[in-house]
Amino acid sequence: MTGLEIGLDGYDHHMDQYLTFLAIEKGLSEKTITAYSADLIRFGEYLKERNVADVSAIDTAVLLRYLIALREAGLSARSRARHLVSLRGFFKYLAQERIIDQNPAQQIDLPKTGLHLPDVLTVGDVECLLGTPDRSKPEGLRDVAMLELLYGAGLRVSELIQLEMNGINLEGGFVRVFGKGARERVVPVGRIALSAIRDYLIQARPLLLKGRASTALFVTRRGGAMTRQSFWHLIGRYGRQCGLKKKLSPHSLRHSFATHLLEGGADLRAVQMMLGHADIATTQIYTHVAQRQLLEAHKKYHPRG
């Protein structure tokens, strides 16, 4: 193989082709593609600084030196792992397109990031949080419905705010959402969340819209869909009002949804499907959370713990 110019034109050309592939063929979100793009641009700048002008010259040693440079620049193990994932995907694509012979990133292990245990609320914490909004106001009924659905179905915040009216089936008791990679999934919704959504639809949504039309399920007084930033602000405020000391985000309820299901005896595969994880290894982190809590209980209550 003669190799390919990886100067600004060559590298950018193949990077753009790869990002287009991710958008069209893989259906990844704009946010995800932007993250990949930033990582690949940074790597391209590294290559330019070192006068690497041929793609065939990029071997495992080059990538290892790049990861070391990232570490010396102060990037955490988690950030370096993300960069490596971006490079693995890019070079896998180049290999599949026969632009290079093999993926030089394939044999590099991810930097050790340690086990990340997500913040999980207790059932009491969740009940306190869900009981905080003022249900006498339209916004309060909306916020209760959103919080109940977030916890009751384990949705991502992006999935929650993008829900449209036709995405909820009150009779069937499920929601249809589009997760990462535009993958569609159907998730059951519990009776309490369904009741909160009915109350919102009947009593609050018409008052918020004031005769305006909207396909969004959750709306503001301006008639537009609830935004990610606004909902982050709301859940933080309710957490403070409730007196929760834990770091709280919309993802806290998703973490709690998964952990509480597994603690209650739910099958890991079923939880994986409800969360929309492509890989069950991602779901398995919640089993570590449950095991940690069991170990803590054993140490606290067992006479020889």
Side-chain angles (χ1 to χ4, degrees), residues 130 133 137-170 174-177 189-190 192-209 212-231 234 238 253:
L130 300 183
K137 298 179 179 179
E139 290 92 344
L141 286 174
R142 177 201 61 200
D143 297 347
V144 168
M146 294 185 75
L147 291 169
E148 287 282 4
L149 183 55
L150 198 66
Y151 175 64
L155 303 185
R156 300 178 178 93
V157 64
S158 58
E159 296 168 346
L160 180 74
I161 62 175
Q162 291 170 9
L163 263 176
E164 297 194 342
M165 290 292 291
N166 60 7
I168 181 84
N169 188 315
L170 295 175
F174 64 83
V175 290
R176 180 177 283 105
V177 297
V189 181
I192 296 177
L194 289 172
S195 177
I197 294 169
R198 285 193 186 95
D199 290 343
Y200 158 70
L201 289 176
I202 295 170
Q203 302 177 39
R205 191 171 183 273
L207 295 177
L208 293 172
L209 286 176
R212 293 167 295 197
S214 175
T215 60
L217 177 59
F218 296 110
V219 298
T220 67
R221 282 199 177 272
R222 294 184 177 182
M226 172 66 68
T227 65
R228 176 193 297 264
Q229 293 83 358
S230 295
F231 189 70
L234 287 174
Y238 288 135
L253 288 176

Side-chain angles (χ1 to χ4, degrees), residues 44-249:
E45 292 172 348
Y46 173 86
L47 296 176
K48 181 183 177 183
E49 291 171 358
R50 283 150 185 82
N51 297 315
V52 177
D54 194 319
V55 73
S56 63
I58 303 174
D59 56 13
T60 302
V62 171
L63 296 178
L64 286 172
R65 286 195 291 271
Y66 176 61
L67 292 173
I68 291 172
L70 292 179
R71 184 184 64 191
E72 291 175 346
L75 270 70
S76 67
R78 187 168 300 279
S79 294
R80 299 197 308 275
R82 192 202 68 224
H83 275 268
L84 180 56
V85 168
S86 298
L87 292 171
R88 276 181 175 175
F90 177 58
F91 284 106
K92 180 180 178 180
Y93 166 80
L94 293 180
Q96 288 174 341
E97 296 296 312
R98 300 184 180 279
I99 297 168
I100 59 175
D101 292 325
Q102 60 184 0
N103 183 348
Q106 187 172 0
Q107 303 302 321
I108 303 178
D109 292 331
L110 292 172
K112 300 299 183 183
T113 61
L115 178 63
H116 174 64
L117 297 175
D119 294 321
V120 177
L121 303 175
T122 66
V123 174
D125 289 339
V126 173
E127 290 177 348
C128 179
L129 182 66
L130 300 183
T132 301
D134 185 352
R135 296 172 187 246
S136 68
K137 298 179 179 179
E139 290 92 344
L141 286 174
R142 177 201 61 200
D143 297 347
V144 168
M146 294 185 75
L147 291 169
E148 287 282 4
L149 183 55
L150 198 66
Y151 175 64
L155 303 185
R156 300 178 178 93
V157 64
S158 58
E159 296 168 346
L160 180 74
I161 62 175
Q162 291 170 9
L163 263 176
E164 297 194 342
M165 290 292 291
N166 60 7
I168 181 84
N169 188 315
L170 295 175
E171 297 301 320
F174 64 83
V175 290
R176 180 177 283 105
V177 297
F178 293 88
K180 292 185 176 180
R183 290 189 295 269
E184 181 183 12
R185 73 182 190 279
V186 174
V187 187
V189 181
R191 56 181 177 80
I192 296 177
L194 289 172
S195 177
I197 294 169
R198 285 193 186 95
D199 290 343
Y200 158 70
L201 289 176
I202 295 170
Q203 302 177 39
R205 191 171 183 273
L207 295 177
L208 293 172
L209 286 176
K210 296 179 181 178
R212 293 167 295 197
S214 175
T215 60
L217 177 59
F218 296 110
V219 298
T220 67
R221 282 199 177 272
R222 294 184 177 182
M226 172 66 68
T227 65
R228 176 193 297 264
Q229 293 83 358
S230 295
F231 189 70
W232 269 78
H233 174 75
L234 287 174
I235 197 170
R237 175 160 56 85
Y238 288 135
R240 291 189 295 272
Q241 290 178 6
C242 193
L244 296 180
K245 302 299 182 183
K246 298 175 182 177
K247 184 179 179 181
L248 192 62
S249 73

